[in-house]
Amino acid sequence: TGSVSVGADVKCQVDYDRRRDVAPNHSMTHVLNAALREVLGDGVDQRGSQCNDEKLRFDFSHKSAMTVDQLRDTEVYVRETIEKSLPVKAEVMALADAKAIPGVRAMFGEVYPDPVRVVRVGDDCSVEFCGGTHISNTAEAEAFVLTEETAVAKGIRRISALTRGAAAKAVAEGTEFEGKTSSLESINPDETPDLDKQAGALRKDLDAAELSAALKAELRARIEAVQKKGIEAKKRLLAGRVDKVLNTVTADVEEALAAGKKTLVLNLDIGADSKASQKVIKAVQKIAPELAFMGISEEEVGSGGKILCFTIVPASVQESGLKANEWLKDVLDSVGGRGGGKPGNAQGQAPNCSDVDAVIAKAESFVNDAIAVA
């Protein structure tokens, strides 16, 4: 530490270790520029770039987001250029002579010195005005992964990419996620009720991972397809469970009527599904139109997760002092839930519930007190 003042002696030293990591990223921006023109057309112009020892960033003119195929083709172009082991050469020449080189590229709006330094990759891959540090052969970049393509302004897109060890790590990450996705696809959705959640968790991990943008898009689509199958299978499973529950509800309601009860609270295995709850309510109203009823259902039995609570209270029972919305509120308040409704019907849910039996006991206690007071 110290201070700098006018007239002080200063010793400058290049950080060659860092430069060795910057150089391949810089050279690959030149190759990337060429790749984009090959894939998107000659209308592509460089609008900026940034290279450090961790990654490269390249801004270019293009009206829309690149497709998955375009991302893949661009990535393959750069990788094949690395595999070809093309020489990277620099030459200083008169600006007028440099401008006359066929296919030479220069940064839009940039003012270049005379003479100017020209960097050439291979014989016909890339030739650009550039004063930066470079590798001497494309093979030195070792690997390339295009990790992201986004918009930065109207008509301007940005690509982020990796080379060398960082790229190799991203390739390995991609291979790992390909394996995980294949394993997920091999699961029978009809035998795995939580397949949609497994797919959702893998999708979340994939989104946070650093790997090829083209591969990520492909895997995301495959995972979403599995998630869709899981949801469809869950619906089929739920439909079968609901049919069984309706039979049980019918028997329980008839038993309650035979015992002369005015109220009934049941724990129902309908996966906290609101559509299924409406089927239950219709079944209860058909059998016992004067019965006050509350159904409680866990999204997953024994999970301690979400619960659904729904209730109907006929006018005759309302006169005894029981209101559906008050009943629901008292029950859900006990587990940090919320809902709404009217004196005749109400519905709500709680995000977490570790003791369903306690909730049922709370519901029965409230209804008994309400009717007793009346």
Side-chain angles (χ1 to χ4, degrees), residues 173 177 180 200-211:
E173 186 92 332
F177 272 99
K180 289 180 178 180
L202 183 58
R203 162 72 187 272
K204 185 177 180 180
D205 290 343
L206 176 68
D207 287 343
E210 190 170 47
L211 61 146

Side-chain angles (χ1 to χ4, degrees), residues 101-119:
I101 298 174
V104 69
R105 306 295 294 183
M107 178 70 178
F108 178 80
E110 188 80 13
V111 177
Y112 291 94
D114 189 4
V116 68
R117 185 168 180 258
V118 178
V119 175

Side-chain angles (χ1 to χ4, degrees), residues 131-285:
T133 183
H134 286 275
I135 51 181
S136 60
N137 189 290
T138 58
E140 294 173 39
E142 299 176 4
F144 179 86
V145 173
L146 193 164
T147 58
E148 187 178 36
E149 191 266 350
T150 58
V152 291
K154 185 176 181 181
I156 306 296
R157 309 296 300 179
R158 172 173 291 170
I159 279 177
S160 296
L162 306 170
T163 64
R164 286 193 172 172
K169 183 178 179 182
V171 170
E173 186 92 332
T175 300
E176 182 179 347
F177 272 99
E178 282 187 282
K180 289 180 178 180
T181 302
S182 295
S183 296
L184 190 73
E185 290 171 327
S186 68
I187 297 175
N188 186 337
D190 291 315
E191 297 175 358
T192 313
D194 68 338
L195 181 58
D196 61 321
K197 290 191 174 183
Q198 289 186 40
L202 183 58
R203 162 72 187 272
K204 185 177 180 180
D205 290 343
L206 176 68
D207 287 343
E210 190 170 47
L211 61 146
S212 166
L215 178 59
K216 179 178 284 192
E218 175 194 325
L219 295 179
R220 186 184 291 121
R222 288 168 59 185
I223 292 170
E224 287 174 351
V226 173
Q227 192 168 25
K228 183 178 179 181
K229 289 180 180 180
I231 291 172
E232 292 171 348
K234 182 176 284 188
K235 287 180 179 179
R236 292 193 297 271
L237 180 63
L238 178 61
R241 284 161 56 189
V242 171
D243 288 341
K244 293 180 181 179
V245 166
L246 290 176
N247 291 331
T248 302
V249 168
T250 298
D252 289 339
V253 170
E254 290 175 346
E255 184 179 336
L257 288 177
K261 293 182 179 180
K262 294 183 178 180
T263 65
L264 179 64
V265 179
L266 293 178
N267 184 357
L268 305 170
D269 183 18
I270 57 171
D273 185 81
S274 58
K275 289 184 179 179
S277 73
Q278 295 306 307
K279 292 183 179 181
V280 172
I281 287 174
K282 288 181 180 179
V284 172
Q285 290 176 322

